[in-house]
Amino acid sequence: MQNTFVLREWQLKIEDVSITRSSDLKGTIQLNGTYTYEAFGPFGQGYNIKVTHGSDEAVLNYHWRDGPGAFVKSKQGKYEMSDQTVFQGGKKLLDLTAALDFEPLEEEIIIALFIINHHYYRKSGPFS
Protein backbone atom coordinates (compact mmCIF):
# COMPACT_ATOMS: atom_id res chain seq x y z
CA MET A 1 0.00 0.00 0.00
CA GLN A 2 1.38 3.43 -0.91
CA ASN A 3 1.03 6.26 1.54
CA THR A 4 -0.41 9.13 -0.50
CA PHE A 5 -1.91 12.39 0.71
CA VAL A 6 -3.65 15.16 -1.18
CA LEU A 7 -2.34 18.60 -0.28
CA ARG A 8 -4.08 21.40 -2.17
CA GLU A 9 -3.84 20.46 -5.86
CA TRP A 10 -0.95 18.01 -5.87
CA GLN A 11 -0.20 14.61 -4.42
CA LEU A 12 2.63 13.63 -2.13
CA LYS A 13 3.92 10.11 -1.54
CA ILE A 14 6.03 9.46 1.52
CA GLU A 15 8.27 7.26 -0.61
CA ASP A 16 8.82 10.13 -3.10
CA VAL A 17 9.89 12.73 -0.54
CA SER A 18 13.56 13.59 -0.80
CA ILE A 19 15.08 13.53 2.69
CA THR A 20 18.73 14.29 3.31
CA ARG A 21 20.59 14.22 6.57
CA SER A 22 23.57 16.09 7.84
CA SER A 23 23.73 13.90 10.95
CA ASP A 24 21.59 11.21 12.51
CA LEU A 25 19.07 13.69 13.91
CA LYS A 26 19.26 16.76 11.64
CA GLY A 27 18.63 17.21 7.93
CA THR A 28 16.36 18.59 5.25
CA ILE A 29 13.16 17.50 3.54
CA GLN A 30 12.13 18.68 0.06
CA LEU A 31 8.45 19.42 -0.62
CA ASN A 32 7.52 22.60 -2.52
CA GLY A 33 10.44 24.13 -0.65
CA THR A 34 13.24 22.96 1.59
CA TYR A 35 12.41 22.33 5.24
CA THR A 36 15.02 21.68 7.90
CA TYR A 37 14.35 19.31 10.77
CA GLU A 38 15.95 18.39 14.05
CA ALA A 39 15.00 15.59 16.44
CA PHE A 40 16.05 16.31 20.01
CA GLY A 41 15.52 15.08 23.55
CA PRO A 42 14.84 14.38 26.22
CA PHE A 43 15.12 10.89 24.81
CA GLY A 44 14.05 7.76 26.68
CA GLN A 45 10.69 9.11 27.81
CA GLY A 46 9.89 10.95 24.62
CA TYR A 47 11.31 13.19 21.93
CA ASN A 48 10.84 16.50 20.17
CA ILE A 49 11.03 17.35 16.48
CA LYS A 50 11.35 20.88 15.12
CA VAL A 51 10.79 21.71 11.45
CA THR A 52 11.59 25.14 10.03
CA HIS A 53 11.08 26.84 6.68
CA GLY A 54 12.31 30.42 6.61
CA SER A 55 10.68 32.08 9.62
CA ASP A 56 7.94 29.42 9.80
CA GLU A 57 8.33 26.78 12.52
CA ALA A 58 6.41 23.78 13.86
CA VAL A 59 7.41 21.80 16.95
CA LEU A 60 6.23 18.31 17.95
CA ASN A 61 6.43 17.23 21.60
CA TYR A 62 5.97 13.53 22.35
CA HIS A 63 6.05 11.99 25.83
CA TRP A 64 5.00 8.40 26.48
CA ARG A 65 2.80 9.30 29.47
CA ASP A 66 0.61 11.55 27.26
CA GLY A 67 -0.61 8.57 25.20
CA PRO A 68 0.15 7.40 21.68
CA GLY A 69 -0.02 10.85 20.07
CA ALA A 70 2.12 13.96 20.19
CA PHE A 71 1.24 17.62 20.49
CA VAL A 72 2.26 20.03 17.73
CA LYS A 73 2.38 23.83 17.78
CA SER A 74 2.76 26.01 14.71
CA LYS A 75 2.06 29.63 13.83
CA GLN A 76 -1.40 28.75 12.52
CA GLY A 77 -2.56 26.42 15.26
CA LYS A 78 -2.25 23.35 17.44
CA TYR A 79 -2.43 19.77 16.23
CA GLU A 80 -2.29 16.23 17.58
CA MET A 81 -0.17 13.80 15.59
CA SER A 82 0.84 10.16 15.57
CA ASP A 83 2.88 8.26 13.01
CA GLN A 84 -0.39 7.55 11.13
CA THR A 85 -2.73 10.49 11.75
CA VAL A 86 -3.06 14.27 12.12
CA PHE A 87 -5.92 15.89 14.08
CA GLN A 88 -6.81 19.53 14.65
CA GLY A 89 -9.58 20.50 17.06
CA GLY A 90 -10.85 16.91 17.17
CA LYS A 91 -11.19 16.75 13.37
CA LYS A 92 -9.12 14.14 11.56
CA LEU A 93 -7.10 15.83 8.81
CA LEU A 94 -5.00 12.88 7.67
CA ASP A 95 -4.99 9.12 8.25
CA LEU A 96 -2.66 6.71 6.46
CA THR A 97 -4.79 3.69 7.36
CA ALA A 98 -8.04 5.00 5.85
CA ALA A 99 -9.30 6.00 2.42
CA LEU A 100 -7.71 9.10 0.96
CA ASP A 101 -10.63 11.43 1.73
CA PHE A 102 -9.40 14.04 4.22
CA GLU A 103 -9.97 17.60 5.27
CA PRO A 104 -7.59 20.04 3.56
CA LEU A 105 -4.32 20.50 5.39
CA GLU A 106 -3.32 24.07 4.66
CA GLU A 107 0.02 24.18 6.47
CA GLU A 108 2.67 22.52 4.35
CA ILE A 109 5.09 22.64 7.29
CA ILE A 110 2.76 20.23 9.14
CA ILE A 111 3.09 17.75 6.25
CA ALA A 112 6.88 18.02 6.52
CA LEU A 113 6.69 17.46 10.29
CA PHE A 114 4.31 14.53 9.83
CA ILE A 115 6.70 12.83 7.39
CA ILE A 116 9.69 13.25 9.70
CA ASN A 117 7.69 12.00 12.70
CA HIS A 118 6.42 9.03 10.66
CA HIS A 119 9.98 7.98 9.79
CA TYR A 120 11.40 8.77 13.25
CA TYR A 121 8.71 6.76 15.08
CA ARG A 122 9.11 3.79 12.72
CA LYS A 123 12.92 4.06 12.59
CA SER A 124 12.79 4.24 8.79
CA GLY A 125 14.04 6.67 6.13
CA PRO A 126 16.94 8.71 7.48
CA PHE A 127 16.49 7.15 10.95
CA SER A 128 16.95 3.49 9.97
Side-chain angles (χ1 to χ4, degrees):
M1 176 173 77
Q2 288 194 341
N3 300 321
T4 305
F5 325 76
V6 176
L7 177 66
R8 292 187 189 103
E9 299 275 330
W10 54 281
Q11 289 194 347
L12 167 70
K13 296 179 184 166
I14 286 183
E15 294 86 359
D16 293 344
V17 173
S18 173
I19 299 174
T20 60
R21 62 179 163 178
S22 56
S23 73
D24 287 344
L25 300 176
K26 295 181 183 180
T28 59
I29 182 168
Q30 183 71 38
L31 294 173
N32 277 343
T34 300
Y35 294 79
T36 59
Y37 65 86
E38 178 181 4
F40 57 97
F43 298 109
Q45 297 189 9
Y47 59 88
N48 297 288
I49 298 173
K50 179 170 71 172
V51 173
T52 57
H53 177 71
S55 64
D56 204 6
E57 177 179 286
V59 179
L60 175 143
N61 298 295
Y62 169 75
H63 194 286
W64 65 268
R65 74 171 175 254
D66 294 332
F71 297 102
V72 174
K73 290 182 184 176
S74 73
K75 285 184 177 180
Q76 292 186 12
K78 295 181 180 181
Y79 299 83
E80 292 179 48
M81 185 180 293
S82 73
D83 70 311
Q84 297 284 320
T85 57
V86 177
F87 287 88
Q88 185 178 36
K91 185 183 281 188
K92 188 181 291 186
L93 301 179
L94 188 139
D95 186 347
L96 293 182
T97 62
L100 299 174
D101 187 19
F102 305 107
E103 296 293 322
L105 186 52
E106 297 296 326
E107 280 191 277
E108 196 170 276
I109 197 165
I110 297 301
I111 289 288
L113 181 58
F114 174 77
I115 291 166
I116 295 302
N117 185 57
H118 176 83
H119 283 301
Y120 187 82
Y121 184 84
R122 292 176 173 267
K123 296 177 177 49
S124 62
F127 308 108
S128 53

